[in-house]
Each structure stands twice: as C-alpha cells, then as structure tokens.
C-alpha cells in the first residue's frame, strides 16, 4: 500500500510536508517508523518473517512488528495500528515501553533509499503464538526465540540464515538488553 507519510529533516523533526511512501523511498526523504518487539515472561522474543512479496529484505526474520507512521498519526497510534494489522493483537498505548529512536539510513540495489527513524517499543506478548494471525503480504511466518538464541543471532549476524540486517547489529543488541532488563 502506498500510504501518505510525513517527511522529517535529518534530525527527525517534522518539515510540515507529506509524500507517498514510494516517493519517500525513491528520493530518500527522512521519515519515522514504529518498531515493536514482543517478549514473553518465559524469556522469548517474537520474530516476524517479512513476506516474500516485500520489496526490501523479503523473507528476512526481524522485528516482531514494524511499519510506517501515516501522515498525521502519532507514533503510538501507528504502533497500535501496525500490531493489529500485522498479527491481529490489540495492545494499549500504556503497554508500549519506549526504548529509543534509532537512525537507520540504508540504500538498496533496487534503488530504494530508506532513511528511517525507528521509534522502538518493547511490550509483553500476552497471546499464545498460535493465536497470532500474520497479515498476508506483510508477514510470512512468526516464531519465538529464546534470549540465548537471539544473542546467538546477533553474534553470528553475518552468517545467520536470513536473520537481521547486519548493519543494525548494535540496535538488536540494545533491544535484547532492554528486554533482559525488563524481565529481571
């Protein structure tokens, strides 16, 4: 879907301009996204496999839920909407714990220039894995990995069977550290 997105400057501040997602990615405009990492009380993290239909990183295992923030939408509104769309779970704003905003500026061989600010949250998964419904065209599969498995994926990021974007290694480590702090 080619939604309308707010354009921000290189520091993440609103410019007052909007554009279609396709144009933003073609021209490399800066924009915000919402990333939501789910964890369980048992010490597992939910990973989502990007759909084979995705233009960027198809079939890669990565963040539980992520998406662009629509024009005029707040970051938490976008997070809640994306969670409902991608895995059919209802989460309240108060359950989203912000762990920071992370710059992710990357260019891809297909011409996409993705200059995103990942507004990142963690939240407890209170629904069994079998109760999640992956959104067709966005998510091909879902799985839970232990904290140790997640650490191993970070440690072997350059050779880990289509898990995680190698340039984001520090980001993944911070996510894991924040989830471990929350569980302790």
């Amino acid at each position: 879907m080619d939604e309308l997105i707010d354009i921000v400057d290189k520091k993440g501040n609103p410019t007052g301009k909007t554009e279609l997602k396709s144009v933003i990615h073609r021209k490399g405009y800066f924009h915000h996204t919402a990333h939501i990492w789910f964890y369980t009380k048992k010490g597992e993290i939910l990973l989502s496999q990007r759909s084979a239909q995705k233009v960027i990183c198809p079939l890669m295992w990565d963040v539980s839920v992520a998406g662009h923030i629509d024009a005029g939408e707040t970051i938490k509104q976008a997070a809640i909407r994306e969670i409902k769309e991608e895995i059919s779970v209802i989460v309240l704003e108060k359950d989203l714990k912000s762990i920071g905003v992370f710059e992710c500026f990357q260019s891809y061989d297909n011409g996409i220039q993705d200059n995103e600010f990942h507004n990142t949250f963690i939240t407890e998964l209170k629904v069994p894995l079998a109760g999640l419904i992956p959104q067709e065209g966005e998510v091909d599969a879902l799985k839970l990995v232990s904290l140790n498995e997640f650490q191993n994926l970070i440690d072997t990021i350059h050779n880990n069977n289509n898990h995680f974007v190698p340039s984001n290694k520090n980001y993944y480590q911070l996510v894991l550290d924040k989830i471990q702090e929350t569980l302790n």
Side-chain angles (χ1 to χ4, degrees), residues 5-6 8 12-13 30-34 67-69 75 101 117 119:
I5 297 172
D6 290 322
V8 298
N13 301 309
F30 295 97
H31 58 285
H32 284 279
T33 60
H68 289 84
I69 298 166
I75 293 164
V101 180
F117 292 92
N119 296 267

Side-chain angles (χ1 to χ4, degrees), residues 23-39:
V23 174
I24 282 176
H25 284 166
R26 189 172 66 246
K27 294 193 174 186
Y29 293 138
F30 295 97
H31 58 285
H32 284 279
T33 60
H35 277 213
I36 306 92
W37 291 87
F38 282 90
Y39 63 89

Side-chain angles (χ1 to χ4, degrees), residues 75-94:
I75 293 164
K76 284 191 171 182
Q77 286 170 339
I80 289 166
R81 176 183 49 77
E82 288 290 343
I83 293 166
K84 187 169 184 338
E85 289 175 359
E86 290 191 10
I87 61 173
S88 295
V89 171
I90 305 290
V91 172
L92 302 176
E93 281 192 22
K94 68 177 182 62

Side-chain angles (χ1 to χ4, degrees), residues 93-129:
E93 281 192 22
K94 68 177 182 62
D95 295 327
L96 295 172
K97 179 181 175 185
S98 175
I99 61 168
V101 180
F102 306 93
E103 296 177 357
C104 185
F105 307 148
Q106 299 186 37
S107 296
Y108 298 91
D109 292 340
N110 60 9
I112 289 178
Q113 300 173 60
D114 207 8
N115 294 317
E116 296 182 345
F117 292 92
H118 297 327
N119 296 267
T120 307
F121 302 93
I122 59 173
T123 191
E124 183 185 349
L125 181 63
K126 298 176 181 177
V127 177
L129 185 63

Side-chain angles (χ1 to χ4, degrees), residues 148-165:
N148 287 339
E149 288 172 283
F150 196 90
Q151 184 66 63
N152 185 55
L153 290 170
I154 294 169
D155 293 343
T156 60
I157 202 159
H158 294 285
N159 184 25
N160 61 16
N161 197 21
N162 212 26
H163 288 75
F164 301 158
V165 177

Side-chain angles (χ1 to χ4, degrees), residues 7-26:
I7 298 171
V8 298
D9 66 20
K10 64 183 177 182
K11 295 189 183 233
N13 301 309
T15 63
K17 298 176 183 172
T18 60
E19 191 53 81
L20 291 173
K21 181 169 81 171
S22 60
V23 174
I24 282 176
H25 284 166
R26 189 172 66 246

